[in-house]
Amino acid sequence: MAAVDVERARVEASIRNLKLSGHVGFDSLPDQLVNKSVQNGFVFNILCIGETGLGKSTLMDSLFNTSFESTPSPHNLPTVKLKAHTYELQESNVRLKLTICDTVGYGDQINKEDSFKAVVDYIDAQFEAYLQEELKIKRSLSTYHDSRTHVCLYFICPTGHGLKSIDLVCMKKLDTKVNIIPIIAKADTISKTELQKFKSKIISELGNNGVHVYQFPTDDESVSEINTSMNAHVPFAVVGSTDFVRVGNKMMRARQYPWGTVQVETESHCDFVKLREMLIRTNMEDMREKTHVRHYELYRKKRLEQMGFSDVDAENNQ
């Protein structure tokens, strides 16, 4: 034990602590990273899962304050199809390459087993494409378009009676492959008291079935307070709209009914602002990181084992 202490003291003594006599400049490293990132642009990929007619396309238009091309989907498709569209967006001097993937015909089939199979196959296909690029001798990951899914917005039908079995089965299949954020679609169709009961029931059913949804990170002091509070609001009850209504001297996204107007960006009306804040303004980078270090690593490990690779120890023994 004494020999170990002596060795540790010797190592510590060999590490010299130098005092800087003037400004060197490595405190500008964060600025260099920001400049490099802005120059390269960012990539974000969203998967929208939900039954036809739940307002997935409308919500995407509302979130990014733009109009993506989309056509209404029929209810009679024999299988689920996944349609991905990539868009180049720019805000100030920051460029974002956004891919939105929609599940067309999800939940419309009599045999619902294939509904989630198509989704799992799509997510795995994006992982596989990235893995094949990584394994190339001449690879160019810096210019490769990363199509791995960073977040899955799972649209829950606003029944007020809990989750459907297809919802639980699908989320259970996906929770190790993608960051899932459950959202209650068309939340203006449920009353305030029903909505709170519905949210509690959804959280309870997810917990009882062992479904792990994405938790906003609370280890960073700058966002821990807001993220802790927002974790308690999941699932977000959202309303989207492509229509604008004048409120005072401002045009706002809203839905007009005979009994009144639901303003999309008013927090007392729905959780749209909370979702946008969490998804885009606060945690987008964390979702990208978790996709790479957790979900993709799981897939990569499994695939490399299938290919016959195995790790070796310090003596090069398997």
Side-chain angles (χ1 to χ4, degrees), residues 20 22-32:
L20 301 179
H23 181 247
V24 177
F26 53 75
D27 58 358
S28 69
L29 269 170
D31 299 328
Q32 293 176 37

Side-chain angles (χ1 to χ4, degrees), residues 81-270:
K81 287 190 171 69
L82 280 90
K83 281 188 182 172
H85 295 282
T86 302
Y87 308 93
E88 296 267 3
L89 304 179
Q90 182 154 348
E91 189 174 59
S92 299
N93 64 333
V94 178
R95 288 178 296 111
L96 177 68
K97 189 178 270 191
L98 175 72
T99 300
I100 297 173
C101 183
D102 188 12
T103 49
V104 182
Y106 179 81
D108 287 339
Q109 295 74 33
I110 294 170
N111 178 9
K112 305 226 179 340
E113 187 180 336
D114 292 339
S115 293
F116 55 80
K117 188 177 180 301
V119 179
V120 170
D121 289 347
Y122 172 81
I123 293 172
D124 283 348
Q126 311 319 307
F127 282 154
E128 184 65 27
Y130 191 87
L131 178 63
Q132 291 305 323
E133 182 64 30
E134 260 193 340
L135 292 174
K136 284 180 182 176
I137 295 172
K138 284 188 177 179
R139 60 184 187 173
S140 53
L141 288 172
S142 57
T143 56
Y144 173 76
H145 176 220
D146 183 1
S147 59
R148 294 172 298 174
T149 306
H150 298 125
V151 64
C152 163
L153 296 181
Y154 196 96
F155 287 68
I156 297 164
C157 200
T159 59
H161 297 292
L163 294 165
K164 298 180 180 178
S165 55
I166 186 176
D167 299 331
L168 287 167
V169 171
C170 185
M171 282 194 259
K172 186 65 184 164
K173 292 274 183 188
L174 296 180
D175 66 359
T176 57
K177 294 178 179 291
V178 68
N179 303 311
I180 301 172
I181 298 180
I183 56 180
I184 299 165
K186 297 194 170 180
D188 50 340
T189 60
I190 313 179
S191 73
K192 201 170 182 179
T193 50
E194 284 177 327
L195 186 58
Q196 287 313 311
K197 288 178 187 170
F198 191 33
K199 281 190 175 191
S200 302
K201 183 140 197 198
I202 288 168
I203 291 299
S204 163
E205 288 181 351
L206 290 173
N208 292 340
N209 289 276
V211 177
H212 300 287
V213 296
Y214 174 72
Q215 291 285 302
F216 303 121
T218 55
D219 47 2
D220 181 351
E221 284 180 17
S222 60
V223 293
S224 64
E225 192 178 331
I226 178 115
N227 278 355
T228 303
S229 129
M230 288 301 158
N231 278 328
H233 280 282
V234 176
F236 293 117
V238 297
V239 179
S241 177
T242 52
D243 299 327
F244 288 83
V245 171
R246 184 173 290 282
V247 178
N249 60 352
K250 200 176 172 189
M251 295 300 286
M252 296 187 71
R253 288 183 181 270
R255 295 180 72 86
Q256 285 190 302
Y257 293 96
W259 43 263
T261 303
V262 175
Q263 294 167 21
V264 170
E265 294 183 62
T266 300
E267 291 203 49
S268 59
H269 288 194
C270 71

Side-chain angles (χ1 to χ4, degrees), residues 7-17:
E7 179 62 21
R8 185 182 295 134
R10 190 185 68 77
V11 170
E12 285 174 358
S14 69
I15 299 171
R16 297 161 63 200
N17 288 319

